[in-house]
Amino acid sequence: MHLSERLRVSDDGWRLVETGWDADRAPHVGTNFLCGNGYLGYRGTSPEHTADDLVALVVTDTYDTVGDGWQELVTAPNPLLVAATVDGSPIGVATAERVETSLDLRIGEFGARFAQRVDHALVEVDVRRVASYDDLHLLTQRWQLQADADVEVDLVDGVDGVVWSLHGDHFRTVDLDDRDGTIVAEARTVEHDVRVVVAAASTRHGGESTEVDPVVEPRRRFRRHRVRLPAGTPLVVDTVAAVVTSNDVDDPGDVAPALARRGRAEGHEQLLSSTTDAWRRIWDDLDVVVEGHLADQTTLRFSAYHHRICTPAHTDHLPIGARGLSCQGYQNAAFWDQEVYNLPALWLSEPHLARNLLVYRHRTLDGARRKAERLGYRGAYYAWMSTDTGDDVCPDVFFVDVLSGRPIRNHFNDWQMHISPDLATTVARYVEITGDERFLVDHGAEIAFEVARFLHSFVLYDEVRGTYHCIRLLGPDEWHENVDDNAFTNHQAHDALAFAVDTHERLAADHPVALEQLRDRIGLTDDEVAAWARVRDRIALPEPDPDTGLIEQFRGFFELEDVTPEQVRARLLDPGEYWGWPNGVAVPTQVSKQADVVMLLWLHGDRFESKILDANYHYYAPRCAHFSTLSHPAHGMVAVRIGELDRALAHLRTTATVDLLSTAPSVVGGTFIGGIHTAACSGALQVAVQGFGGLGFADGRLVVDPALPSAWTALEYPVAWRGHHLRVRIGSDGSVSIESHADNPGPVEVVVRGEPVTVEPGARAAA
Amino acid sequence: MHLSERLRVSDDGWRLVETGWDADRAPHVGTNFLCGNGYLGYRGTSPEHTADDLVALVVTDTYDTVGDGWQELVTAPNPLLVAATVDGSPIGVATAERVETSLDLRIGEFGARFAQRVDHALVEVDVRRVASYDDLHLLTQRWQLQADADVEVDLVDGVDGVVWSLHGDHFRTVDLDDRDGTIVAEARTVEHDVRVVVAAASTRHGGESTEVDPVVEPRRRFRRHRVRLPAGTPLVVDTVAAVVTSNDVDDPGDVAPALARRGRAEGHEQLLSSTTDAWRRIWDDLDVVVEGHLADQTTLRFSAYHHRICTPAHTDHLPIGARGLSCQGYQNAAFWDQEVYNLPALWLSEPHLARNLLVYRHRTLDGARRKAERLGYRGAYYAWMSTDTGDDVCPDVFFVDVLSGRPIRNHFNDWQMHISPDLATTVARYVEITGDERFLVDHGAEIAFEVARFLHSFVLYDEVRGTYHCIRLLGPDEWHENVDDNAFTNHQAHDALAFAVDTHERLAADHPVALEQLRDRIGLTDDEVAAWARVRDRIALPEPDPDTGLIEQFRGFFELEDVTPEQVRARLLDPGEYWGWPNGVAVPTQVSKQADVVMLLWLHGDRFESKILDANYHYYAPRCAHFSTLSHPAHGMVAVRIGELDRALAHLRTTATVDLLSTAPSVVGGTFIGGIHTAACSGALQVAVQGFGGLGFADGRLVVDPALPSAWTALEYPVAWRGHHLRVRIGSDGSVSIESHADNPGPVEVVVRGEPVTVEPGARAAA
């Protein structure tokens, strides 16, 4: 069935197929049909493409800054270039007659098929490409051409070191070499002299080669093949590429070519097979099955796929970039999205990956400490945009006032302080759900204490009222900067402080030695802990109005002009205007970029009565312009909770198709912001599993409290919890069955709609 | 001598004469040559002028608001219209050949002389106009015409109720009547139904009248005279006008015509004579004599004249408007200018007038309490713009972004909180200098306590640092809004708190009953007073950098871009752009509208070493754009103190000529901001007397510590202090002589350059 005019899904719910080639859509296709594995990402571009077509092989852990530019990962030299002319005509998707590109979600296989008429012959090309999940350094690509008449093919393949890069040329040098048929590019980064080595080992089958010549250009090294190809016979170029950097091994210049050659020896089919096995294991923990609606099923799988390939599963010292490895967008940095969107979609399916991300946050505490100190605070003020060191890479200026051409100083980096309590409360929930006390002792406690320390230094005390306040900040609704006592932020801060105090108490009781060591190391005193408790008890917590039930987004919000997003849009003098602070059209109004009271209800809904959720959802939703892809999943979660299931499904669909339907722009104010919306992907999973699927956790037990939208006849999802693997299935009649894996260590109690159900290993229980 | 091409001063230093008529300069001439007496102001326009020429008779205490417009005083119907045609040609300054307008500062007499050729005759007109200081409700005008040939004059005189008004038509009705030759206009204001009654009683002499007819038009009532005038004989129209409102008396409709008729009976010459006597007494306490520089002498007298006529000397329930009664500019409201600029120029010359203004502030405490409550504070948050009730009449929006056409929300009204401590510290200094303990008990203490209460509710406590902070405000440099711990503001707040604590202690000792009554009335507790002392002791006080001596204007100021005002100006895309917050060109830079650290040094210079003053003056002065007329006098005061006398004189001259040389614009961003700069007038006096003249007060004694600029050969000024009247004269050799009035109650000790000098009544002492 079709998702849009050009895009359809296969009947098995595993393949996405884009028909035709459209230069405007190409940046989106390149993003959507990304191959990746958490170590690298290779965009869904055709093998003949170059930098102008936004080809990118983005490699993790290669953060680099050029001059005054912004830090970002490097785009490595492209080892998969294959470009051909047939009888003198260049062949490619842009000039072809029939083009189909595709992504097979089951194994992350990019495909391109196209036909092109040249002179007397019809030429057909078929491309398959996979990023290995068996060896994360490997990519394998099969390029195949045949024609219905004898043709002369002039072919180049090799490494293209002329790359697309957003913020400067990250290579001080690029050395290219052909080592016994393996083309090797060794690039050295500007800032830290990281060696990024790419090796391409290719084989050619079919046709009759008349000549093979080296092609050497600046930053490029190819082999040129002139091939006579008889009608109806295939010409195949298999390329196995390896990417290794000096952050991975000491000698990437040796390792990469060796890996590529070994991969070539194994062959494309074998690499495909081992990756298929790896993906099968991944999908066991990942696949959410939706019955009754093929499009929902497929878009959810698409979300799960990208959710997984953006996650650096192989390491605990790297973040999830807001655009993953799909490009250099958003500087490949983690935001609070990682803790609020990505990570909770992992902690009941692949909790060790959630742990990795939190260990990363612990490793970057020093960066957060530096930020706090620089801004005059104590403890850990986490980076708004965090890369490898945890120092904030968010620039002071990133928007331009299109009316004046002047830069706008936004304060995302220095005022958006909910990032720190967001992290601490995520640690709290991770520990609560997983029971990972070791993590708490080794990592979580230090995060909790340093965040509490930061909060204590951030809040200001109103002596007359006897209350602590968060002053001058911006909440999730980034259009309204410079506000006080943002409801979401203050509740998060409250919980972060409570967590720190509780953790201190818990460690004092259960891990006194570890606590003492930690206290010594960070110089923590009892006075500080007492202060945290005091702030926790007296921080201003915006409460629902007793009459209307409404929670004010921040102090004074309800005094702002009450207009709709459409009315505000009509005031734009230029469609490219920034709507937000300091003087965009939304600033004097209640129109939000994303509704942070809805965020509050999502994360803290259990502290409010249902009618409060209802009143606030219905107040804030129509005043929200949803200019962030983070917005719809939050709305979806709350809509499920108040029983508005069709609205919730609409929010889910908007979330899961933002990239597929290209509803978000690629470029804003001259800045490329394209690439996959990783938080939306994980957010879609949360709405499905934790929203409709009702998967949760309370009082030490798993909870399943589901409610399916009418369009779905069944929902099934995997659960991994404290060594147990379950599958939960919800039928259209509301029936819930829970299957416990035979290898599970013992019975599991799950609370289904308030009733405890116990499932034995290997058994299935219905409720 | 000439001040500019068109403007000259008379050799006696008392007259200003403008040559020619220029439509662009007319708004400034109308302002500069204003007649006034603190009750009314009549602009220096020609009698034939109408609303289009910015004729205005502005009457105090008639504040009115039309619809959503801004509150302002009404422009009363104009009773002094005299318009003539001679042989069919209209006569007036705009069509005349030779025009001279003038102001005689000695008695505030406006003059206009012009000659106009009509057909066969040369016509000469001479106009004299004075606002009475004997009866503040009266204006008297003599209009005289003669021609060198027989002519026919067609003349109208009477009341023109079609008035120039900035923010709406303030009259719900205007009733006009001719009562026995006195034309009476009774206008009723929109908001409070105030009756503003204007009566014009005129007499005509000379020529031969052929006819006198009434002319009745909407809102206008004139008499038309057709006169045959023989060559060389004068035609004179004397008009005595009375203005009375229902805020003055119950029956203004009876009183005004009676006053006008009585004035007519007395006659122009007699009214002039009584006003001359009144002015003589005023100048005794006011006149600052500068020898050696006629222009300085005259511009200083011009400043003194306007300083005096803007002051509502007759009452203690009205403020000094920022533009006095010269027009409706700045809504005829008082700003902090009143306490920091106007009032200190009175307290050692006419201290009872300073007292009036402070009693006004006491009377408007409830307005300040309402503002505090509305904004979530306690105590008294004085209005940024204060009229009769003390409620803030400052609009939320008054500038427009010229690039987008959108309104700019500035926060002068809700964030510029130094207004309250400015008032309290002025009360403190007034009481200290005058010894007016009665005022302290009856009025000052309540102001002090309520301001301290406000400050306690405004500051926020940083528990980690142990300091109180003023957060989110704007200081005197209004371009930088939303700043913290502004140096000027925090020092002012400190002193206001100290004053409140000291006053509480003083009253407890000396006026325990009055204190108890006041405490009861305002519900004051000991805990509050203890809190004020605590905040006083721990408020963040920006101190000089130990290396550079520089005081940071506010937290983070030195991190702003360090460029010159000229560099910033070059960035303007439109000359009409607002430079300030939120995104004007000055905002990201250290360029200030007025240097508030210089304000700090002026008012608190005694708490810093001289080298600190020096360092900061020289740092901040070149970074200041002087976009406020408040800026130069502050710089002048500091320049005197650091011995930069020529610079100080330059600041004084800029201050004293801002209106005369029209260096400030009349209209900005579509808003009329013309009119006399009353604070600059008083500020010029302060630089002369308290700056160069060195007049001050310390440890209970008058201080004279003078330093004359090289251009001045002598300076002489009057002092009124605790019942004593002195004249201080400083010679070019630095000699100081002090003359004590014979009626003084006893000897006075004055500390001249550190040495006490005692002067007996009727004697003169030299030092």
Side-chain angles (χ1 to χ4, degrees):
Chain A
M1 71 175 288
H2 279 263
L3 290 178
S4 68
E5 199 186 339
R6 288 193 183 280
L7 186 65
R8 68 175 198 273
V9 301
S10 64
D11 289 343
D12 64 356
W14 282 104
R15 282 186 80 230
L16 290 154
V17 183
E18 173 98 8
T19 308
W21 189 259
D22 173 347
D24 288 343
R25 277 196 50 76
H28 300 283
V29 172
T31 291
N32 293 337
F33 292 177
L34 182 79
C35 295
N37 55 25
Y39 172 81
L40 58 79
Y42 192 102
R43 289 173 59 80
T45 47
S46 199
E48 74 276 11
H49 280 155
T50 60
D52 288 345
D53 307 294
L54 311 191
V55 171
L57 166 55
V58 178
V59 185
T60 196
D61 203 15
T62 59
Y63 293 103
D64 187 70
T65 314
V66 179
D68 293 333
W70 299 352
Q71 193 188 75
E72 62 196 356
L73 293 178
V74 306
T75 310
N78 170 21
L80 297 182
L81 185 127
V82 182
T85 64
V86 176
D87 291 346
S89 295
I91 298 295
V93 289
T95 46
E97 282 168 37
R98 292 198 314 268
V99 181
E100 229 178 51
T101 48
S102 63
L103 180 69
D104 186 333
L105 296 162
R106 200 184 302 263
I107 58 169
E109 186 189 61
F110 168 81
R113 294 166 61 97
F114 55 91
Q116 186 170 341
R117 185 159 295 281
V118 292
D119 197 9
H120 63 292
L122 181 70
V123 179
E124 290 179 306
V125 174
D126 187 292
V127 180
R128 304 283 140 184
R129 179 193 302 141
V130 158
S132 173
Y133 247 109
D134 189 47
D135 183 331
L136 303 181
H137 299 280
L138 292 186
L139 286 154
T140 180
Q141 175 178 282
R142 170 161 290 174
W143 179 95
Q144 181 169 327
L145 179 147
Q146 68 180 45
D148 63 357
D150 292 357
V151 291
E152 296 278 338
V153 181
D154 190 340
L155 176 83
V156 295
D157 77 328
V159 178
D160 181 1
V162 178
V163 302
W164 172 47
S165 185
L166 290 177
H167 298 105
D169 177 0
H170 292 287
F171 300 142
R172 58 170 81 178
T173 56
V174 182
D175 294 324
L176 289 133
D177 199 8
D178 188 336
R179 301 190 201 162
D180 303 328
T182 299
I183 297 181
V184 182
E186 178 164 336
R188 304 182 84 107
T189 65
V190 170
E191 191 179 15
H192 299 297
D193 200 24
V194 175
R195 281 163 290 150
V196 179
V197 182
V198 167
S202 67
T203 54
R204 201 197 70 240
H205 310 283
E208 183 187 333
S209 174
T210 57
E211 247 176 280
V212 178
D213 301 315
V215 178
V216 180
E217 296 174 8
R219 290 205 172 178
R220 283 181 162 144
R221 176 120 197 176
F222 305 131
R223 262 181 312 247
R224 181 174 181 187
H225 313 251
R226 295 179 206 189
V227 181
R228 266 195 299 272
L229 184 67
T233 66
L235 173 64
V236 178
V237 178
D238 282 351
T239 310
V240 175
V243 188
V244 186
T245 81
S246 55
N247 286 331
D248 306 322
V249 297
D250 288 340
D251 49 354
D254 296 334
V255 172
L259 284 180
R261 275 194 292 267
R262 200 176 70 201
R264 176 168 56 189
E266 290 185 36
H268 180 74
E269 297 295 347
Q270 177 54 34
L271 291 172
L272 216 58
S273 165
S274 58
T275 279
T276 301
D277 290 346
W279 267 111
R280 189 177 300 122
R281 290 188 296 273
I282 291 170
W283 282 115
D284 277 349
D285 293 327
L286 185 64
D287 191 30
V288 177
V289 176
V290 169
E291 292 174 14
H293 201 282
L294 182 61
D296 289 346
Q297 170 66 83
T298 315
T299 58
L300 209 52
R301 283 207 175 111
F302 173 83
S303 299
Y305 169 77
H306 280 290
H307 156 80
R308 192 54 167 73
I309 69 170
C310 74
T311 302
H314 59 289
T315 178
D316 61 11
H317 74 275
L318 289 172
I320 296 179
R323 296 294 180 264
L325 302 171
S326 68
C327 63
Q328 294 165 309
Y330 284 69
Q331 303 179 241
N332 307 103
F335 294 67
W336 65 305
D337 316 19
Q338 174 169 295
E339 275 65 32
V340 176
Y341 288 82
N342 304 113
L343 202 151
L346 290 166
W347 59 30
L348 280 170
S349 56
E350 298 180 275
H352 57 293
L353 303 189
R355 187 184 211 275
N356 277 0
L357 295 169
L358 293 177
V359 171
Y360 158 76
R361 290 298 195 181
H362 183 252
R363 287 179 182 276
T364 51
L365 259 174
D366 277 348
R369 289 186 179 108
R370 284 188 291 270
K371 174 171 171 177
E373 192 182 352
R374 178 168 54 81
L375 296 174
Y377 304 109
R378 292 192 181 179
Y381 189 169
Y382 273 96
W384 186 245
M385 296 178 66
S386 181
T387 59
D388 48 355
T389 64
D391 291 289
D392 207 325
V393 302
C394 181
D396 282 354
V397 167
F398 37 85
F399 292 128
V400 162
D401 174 1
V402 295
L403 300 179
S404 68
R406 295 193 183 120
I408 299 175
R409 169 66 166 109
N410 290 102
H411 291 275
F412 292 24
N413 53 1
D414 50 349
W415 293 355
Q416 199 154 185
M417 47 69 72
H418 65 86
I419 178 77
S420 273
D422 291 346
L423 266 53
T425 55
T426 299
V427 168
R429 292 200 293 158
Y430 167 81
V431 171
E432 186 196 356
I433 290 174
T434 61
D436 189 350
E437 187 144 332
R438 189 72 257 149
F439 175 82
L440 181 67
V441 174
D442 292 346
H443 308 284
E446 189 170 357
I447 293 175
F449 297 163
E450 291 289 25
V451 166
R453 204 171 231 181
F454 162 69
L455 290 171
H456 182 219
S457 75
F458 186 89
V459 296
L460 291 168
Y461 185 57
D462 181 331
E463 206 168 79
V464 170
R465 287 194 171 78
T467 42
Y468 292 88
H469 297 271
C470 293
I471 301 290
R472 191 181 285 120
L473 47 83
L474 58 167
D477 169 18
E478 290 165 333
W479 286 345
H480 293 96
E481 301 196 21
N482 192 33
V483 305
D484 298 340
D485 291 331
N486 172 279
F488 172 79
T489 302
N490 283 28
H491 276 275
Q492 289 284 83
H494 170 272
D495 283 19
L497 291 158
F499 175 54
V501 173
D502 293 349
T503 297
H504 191 269
E505 201 171 300
R506 183 167 168 185
L507 264 60
D510 301 341
H511 306 276
V513 176
L515 177 63
E516 214 42 55
Q517 286 170 345
L518 177 55
R519 283 172 56 111
D520 280 357
R521 187 150 48 79
I522 66 173
L524 182 63
T525 65
D526 285 338
D527 281 353
E528 279 187 273
V529 182
W532 302 342
R534 201 165 55 238
V535 180
R536 173 199 63 193
D537 294 342
R538 296 194 193 172
I539 190 168
L541 288 182
E543 293 291 341
D545 180 273
D547 296 327
T548 62
L550 295 182
I551 300 166
E552 193 168 33
Q553 183 173 317
F554 51 78
R555 213 174 334 135
F557 180 84
F558 288 140
E559 290 160 35
L560 298 176
E561 191 189 8
D562 190 13
V563 284
T564 65
E566 277 53 52
Q567 286 172 294
V568 167
R569 185 188 295 279
R571 296 174 185 175
L572 291 175
L573 301 175
D574 182 308
E577 272 185 71
Y578 178 59
W579 289 36
W581 204 80
N583 61 342
V585 287
V587 173
T589 78
Q590 294 187 32
V591 169
S592 62
K593 179 182 176 189
Q594 60 191 106
D596 49 24
V597 171
V598 173
M599 291 289 315
L600 168 68
L601 301 176
W602 171 23
L603 298 187
H604 304 282
D606 52 352
R607 67 184 56 159
F608 302 107
E609 288 177 72
S610 174
K611 66 178 183 185
I612 300 298
L613 270 63
D614 201 81
N616 283 280
Y617 173 86
H618 286 289
Y619 186 86
Y620 282 103
R623 288 165 177 81
C624 178
H626 297 294
F627 261 48
S628 165
T629 58
L630 307 182
S631 186
H632 279 291
H635 280 77
M637 292 299 284
V638 176
V640 171
R641 216 185 281 205
I642 61 173
E644 304 248 12
L645 302 177
D646 289 341
R647 280 176 168 274
L649 185 57
H651 289 302
L652 171 57
R653 285 173 176 169
T654 306
T655 304
T657 59
V658 59
D659 289 306
L660 283 171
L661 300 182
S662 320
T663 47
S666 286
V667 175
V668 161
T671 295
F672 182 85
I673 60 161
I676 201 79
H677 292 80
T678 60
C681 295
S682 307
L685 287 181
Q686 286 200 62
V687 179
V689 175
Q690 298 173 30
F692 294 126
L695 180 65
F697 188 83
D699 303 326
R701 294 181 302 183
L702 280 176
V703 166
V704 174
D705 200 357
L708 297 197
S710 55
W712 292 5
T713 55
L715 171 68
E716 199 178 309
Y717 55 81
V719 180
W721 181 63
R722 300 191 182 184
H724 301 273
H725 287 79
L726 310 173
R727 275 197 85 78
V728 177
R729 181 179 171 86
I730 298 133
S732 60
D733 57 353
S735 65
V736 175
S737 78
I738 299 168
E739 191 184 327
S740 176
H741 196 279
D743 295 342
N744 282 344
V748 183
E749 195 179 69
V750 182
V751 181
V752 179
R753 294 201 182 89
E755 295 298 320
V757 175
T758 301
V759 203
E760 297 293 334
R764 175 194 301 267
Chain B
M1 71 175 289
H2 278 263
L3 291 177
S4 69
E5 201 186 337
R6 287 195 184 279
L7 187 65
R8 68 174 197 274
V9 301
S10 64
D11 290 343
D12 64 357
W14 283 105
R15 283 185 80 230
L16 290 153
V17 182
E18 172 98 9
T19 308
W21 189 258
D22 172 348
D24 288 343
R25 277 196 50 78
H28 299 283
V29 172
T31 292
N32 293 336
F33 292 176
L34 182 79
C35 294
N37 55 26
Y39 172 82
L40 58 78
Y42 192 102
R43 289 172 60 78
T45 48
S46 200
E48 74 276 11
H49 279 153
T50 61
D52 289 346
D53 306 295
L54 311 191
V55 171
L57 166 54
V58 178
V59 184
T60 195
D61 204 14
T62 59
Y63 292 104
D64 186 70
T65 313
V66 179
D68 294 333
W70 299 352
Q71 193 188 76
E72 62 197 358
L73 293 178
V74 305
T75 311
N78 170 21
L80 297 182
L81 184 124
V82 181
T85 63
V86 176
D87 292 345
S89 297
I91 299 295
V93 289
T95 46
E97 282 169 37
R98 291 197 315 265
V99 181
E100 228 178 54
T101 47
S102 62
L103 181 68
D104 186 333
L105 296 162
R106 200 183 303 263
I107 58 169
E109 187 188 60
F110 168 80
R113 292 166 62 99
F114 56 90
Q116 185 169 342
R117 184 159 296 281
V118 292
D119 196 9
H120 63 291
L122 181 69
V123 179
E124 289 179 306
V125 174
D126 186 292
V127 179
R128 303 283 140 185
R129 180 192 302 141
V130 159
S132 173
Y133 247 109
D134 189 45
D135 183 332
L136 303 182
H137 298 281
L138 293 186
L139 286 153
T140 180
Q141 176 179 283
R142 171 161 288 175
W143 179 94
Q144 180 170 330
L145 178 147
Q146 68 181 44
D148 62 358
D150 292 356
V151 291
E152 295 279 336
V153 181
D154 191 342
L155 178 81
V156 296
D157 77 330
V159 179
D160 182 0
V162 178
V163 301
W164 172 47
S165 184
L166 291 177
H167 298 105
D169 177 0
H170 292 287
F171 299 142
R172 56 171 80 178
T173 56
V174 181
D175 294 322
L176 288 135
D177 198 9
D178 189 334
R179 302 189 199 162
D180 304 326
T182 299
I183 298 181
V184 182
E186 177 163 339
R188 304 181 83 106
T189 65
V190 170
E191 191 179 15
H192 298 299
D193 199 25
V194 174
R195 281 164 291 149
V196 179
V197 182
V198 169
S202 68
T203 53
R204 200 197 71 238
H205 311 283
E208 181 187 337
S209 174
T210 55
E211 246 177 282
V212 179
D213 302 316
V215 179
V216 179
E217 296 175 10
R219 291 204 173 178
R220 283 180 163 145
R221 177 121 196 175
F222 305 131
R223 260 181 314 246
R224 183 174 180 187
H225 314 249
R226 296 179 205 187
V227 181
R228 265 196 299 273
L229 184 66
T233 66
L235 173 65
V236 178
V237 178
D238 280 352
T239 310
V240 175
V243 188
V244 185
T245 82
S246 55
N247 287 331
D248 306 323
V249 297
D250 289 339
D251 48 356
D254 296 333
V255 173
L259 284 179
R261 274 194 292 267
R262 199 177 70 201
R264 177 169 54 188
E266 291 184 37
H268 179 75
E269 297 296 348
Q270 176 54 34
L271 292 172
L272 215 60
S273 165
S274 58
T275 280
T276 302
D277 290 345
W279 267 111
R280 190 177 300 123
R281 288 188 296 274
I282 293 170
W283 282 116
D284 276 349
D285 292 328
L286 185 65
D287 191 32
V288 177
V289 176
V290 169
E291 292 175 15
H293 200 283
L294 182 62
D296 289 345
Q297 170 67 81
T298 314
T299 58
L300 208 53
R301 283 207 175 110
F302 173 83
S303 300
Y305 170 76
H306 280 288
H307 156 79
R308 192 55 168 73
I309 69 170
C310 74
T311 302
H314 60 289
T315 179
D316 59 11
H317 74 275
L318 289 171
I320 296 179
R323 296 293 179 267
L325 301 171
S326 68
C327 62
Q328 295 166 308
Y330 284 69
Q331 303 178 243
N332 306 103
F335 294 66
W336 67 304
D337 315 19
Q338 174 169 296
E339 274 65 31
V340 177
Y341 288 82
N342 304 114
L343 202 150
L346 290 166
W347 60 29
L348 281 170
S349 56
E350 299 181 274
H352 58 293
L353 303 189
R355 187 184 212 272
N356 276 359
L357 294 169
L358 293 177
V359 171
Y360 158 76
R361 290 298 195 181
H362 182 253
R363 286 179 182 276
T364 51
L365 259 174
D366 277 348
R369 289 187 179 106
R370 285 188 289 270
K371 174 171 172 178
E373 193 182 352
R374 178 169 54 80
L375 295 174
Y377 304 109
R378 293 191 181 181
Y381 189 168
Y382 274 96
W384 187 245
M385 295 177 67
S386 182
T387 58
D388 48 355
T389 64
D391 291 289
D392 206 325
V393 302
C394 180
D396 282 355
V397 167
F398 37 85
F399 292 130
V400 161
D401 175 2
V402 295
L403 300 179
S404 68
R406 294 192 183 122
I408 298 174
R409 170 68 165 110
N410 289 101
H411 291 275
F412 291 23
N413 53 2
D414 52 349
W415 293 355
Q416 200 153 184
M417 46 67 75
H418 64 86
I419 178 76
S420 273
D422 291 347
L423 266 52
T425 54
T426 299
V427 169
R429 291 200 295 158
Y430 167 80
V431 171
E432 187 196 355
I433 290 173
T434 61
D436 188 350
E437 188 145 329
R438 190 72 257 150
F439 175 82
L440 180 67
V441 175
D442 292 346
H443 309 283
E446 189 171 357
I447 293 175
F449 296 163
E450 292 290 23
V451 166
R453 205 170 229 181
F454 162 69
L455 290 171
H456 181 218
S457 75
F458 185 89
V459 295
L460 292 168
Y461 185 58
D462 181 330
E463 206 169 78
V464 170
R465 287 194 170 80
T467 42
Y468 292 88
H469 298 270
C470 292
I471 302 290
R472 192 181 285 120
L473 48 83
L474 56 167
D477 169 18
E478 290 165 334
W479 286 344
H480 292 95
E481 301 196 21
N482 192 32
V483 306
D484 299 341
D485 291 331
N486 172 279
F488 172 78
T489 302
N490 283 29
H491 276 275
Q492 289 285 81
H494 170 272
D495 283 19
L497 290 159
F499 175 53
V501 173
D502 293 348
T503 297
H504 191 270
E505 200 172 300
R506 183 168 166 184
L507 265 60
D510 300 341
H511 306 275
V513 176
L515 177 63
E516 214 42 55
Q517 286 169 345
L518 177 56
R519 283 173 55 114
D520 280 356
R521 185 149 50 79
I522 65 172
L524 182 63
T525 66
D526 285 340
D527 281 354
E528 280 186 272
V529 182
W532 302 341
R534 200 165 56 237
V535 179
R536 173 198 63 193
D537 293 342
R538 296 194 193 172
I539 191 168
L541 288 182
E543 293 291 340
D545 180 273
D547 295 328
T548 63
L550 294 182
I551 300 166
E552 193 169 33
Q553 183 173 319
F554 51 78
R555 215 176 329 137
F557 180 85
F558 288 140
E559 289 160 35
L560 298 175
E561 191 190 6
D562 190 12
V563 285
T564 66
E566 294 330 306
Q567 286 172 296
V568 167
R569 184 188 296 278
R571 296 174 185 174
L572 291 175
L573 301 174
D574 182 308
E577 273 185 71
Y578 179 58
W579 289 36
W581 204 80
N583 61 343
V585 288
V587 174
T589 78
Q590 294 187 33
V591 169
S592 61
K593 179 181 176 191
Q594 60 190 105
D596 51 22
V597 171
V598 173
M599 291 290 314
L600 167 68
L601 301 177
W602 171 23
L603 298 187
H604 303 282
D606 51 353
R607 66 184 56 159
F608 302 107
E609 287 177 71
S610 173
K611 67 179 183 187
I612 300 299
L613 270 63
D614 201 80
N616 283 280
Y617 173 86
H618 286 290
Y619 186 84
Y620 283 102
R623 289 165 178 80
C624 178
H626 298 293
F627 261 49
S628 165
T629 57
L630 306 182
S631 186
H632 279 292
H635 281 77
M637 291 298 284
V638 177
V640 171
R641 215 183 283 207
I642 61 173
E644 303 248 10
L645 301 178
D646 290 340
R647 279 176 169 274
L649 184 57
H651 289 301
L652 170 57
R653 286 173 174 170
T654 306
T655 303
T657 57
V658 59
D659 289 305
L660 284 171
L661 300 182
S662 321
T663 47
S666 285
V667 175
V668 161
T671 295
F672 182 85
I673 60 162
I676 201 79
H677 293 81
T678 61
C681 294
S682 306
L685 286 182
Q686 286 201 61
V687 179
V689 174
Q690 298 173 30
F692 294 126
L695 180 64
F697 188 83
D699 303 325
R701 294 181 301 184
L702 282 175
V703 167
V704 174
D705 199 357
L708 297 198
S710 55
W712 292 3
T713 54
L715 171 69
E716 198 179 309
Y717 54 81
V719 180
W721 181 63
R722 302 192 181 182
H724 300 272
H725 287 80
L726 310 173
R727 276 197 84 78
V728 176
R729 181 180 171 87
I730 298 133
S732 60
D733 56 355
S735 64
V736 175
S737 77
I738 299 169
E739 191 183 326
S740 177
H741 196 280
D743 295 342
N744 283 343
V748 183
E749 194 178 68
V750 182
V751 181
V752 178
R753 295 202 182 90
E755 295 299 320
V757 175
T758 302
V759 202
E760 297 293 334
R764 177 194 300 267

